[in-house]
Amino acid sequence: MLISTRGRYALRIMLELAQYDQSPYMPLPLIAEKQGISEKYLESIVSLLVKGGLVEGVRGKGGGYRLRRPLQDYSAGEILRLTEGSLAPVSCLEGEENACPRAGQCHTLPMWTKLEGLINSYLDSVTLADLLDAPMDQV
């Protein structure tokens, strides 16, 4: 499993929105400037976050983006699964059903399945509030 820049940037965007207190909506150019992300790339990520129901946006003067829920209601796992798709460590676990013809005789499958569970469990236990509140070496 390798988290792409899209997933990492999505977390950064969500944290930026969580810290913004100047108005209800944070303008896209300001997010781009503060995070050092091109507006074009940022738009594609924010679009996913809006479609996924994590943020809401308003166009025009005073517009921008904001979180839809309290910080503690967002998990890193939810954000990463929205932007990355599966967080499975191996491709055979990415779909709903394991389509690998060797699944029934694969001695490593239980290990991969357990690892996937640990990854999801940990990332689901970390909230945006945790990421903002914890010292950098504590998360």
Side-chain angles (χ1 to χ4, degrees), residues 52-117:
L54 302 185
V55 301
E56 62 183 2
V58 170
R59 294 185 180 269
K61 187 175 180 176
Y65 297 91
R66 71 176 180 188
L67 300 179
R68 296 187 66 160
R69 307 187 308 244
L71 296 181
Q72 65 272 13
D73 291 349
Y74 292 97
S75 74
E78 173 186 26
I79 297 163
L80 290 172
R81 277 188 295 277
L82 177 65
T83 55
E84 298 291 320
S86 170
L87 297 176
V90 291
S91 61
C92 63
L93 295 176
E94 287 181 339
E96 289 293 316
E97 279 194 38
N98 189 333
C100 178
R102 297 188 41 80
Q105 63 227 16
C106 180
H107 292 283
T108 62
L109 184 58
M111 175 188 68
W112 297 128
T113 303
K114 185 173 182 176
L115 178 59
E116 179 184 30

Side-chain angles (χ1 to χ4, degrees), residues 105-131:
Q105 63 227 16
C106 180
H107 292 283
T108 62
L109 184 58
M111 175 188 68
W112 297 128
T113 303
K114 185 173 182 176
L115 178 59
E116 179 184 30
L118 291 169
I119 290 168
N120 282 302
S121 178
Y122 173 69
L123 291 174
D124 287 340
S125 76
V126 178
T127 68
L128 288 183
D130 295 332
L131 292 172

Side-chain angles (χ1 to χ4, degrees), residues 6-73:
R6 181 174 50 193
R8 295 192 325 266
Y9 288 0
L11 281 171
R12 287 173 43 191
I13 292 164
M14 296 291 286
L15 290 167
E16 192 66 51
L17 292 173
Q19 296 175 82
Y20 189 67
D21 60 359
Q22 294 178 354
S23 85
Y25 293 93
M26 185 173 195
L28 193 70
L30 183 57
I31 300 170
E33 177 187 328
K34 291 180 98 127
Q35 288 298 316
I37 303 170
S38 78
E39 278 189 57
K40 187 170 179 81
Y41 192 37
L42 186 72
E43 284 175 0
S44 69
I45 297 168
V46 170
S47 174
L48 281 173
L49 297 173
V50 169
K51 286 178 187 169
L54 302 185
V55 301
E56 62 183 2
V58 170
R59 294 185 180 269
K61 187 175 180 176
Y65 297 91
R66 71 176 180 188
L67 300 179
R68 296 187 66 160
R69 307 187 308 244
L71 296 181
Q72 65 272 13
D73 291 349

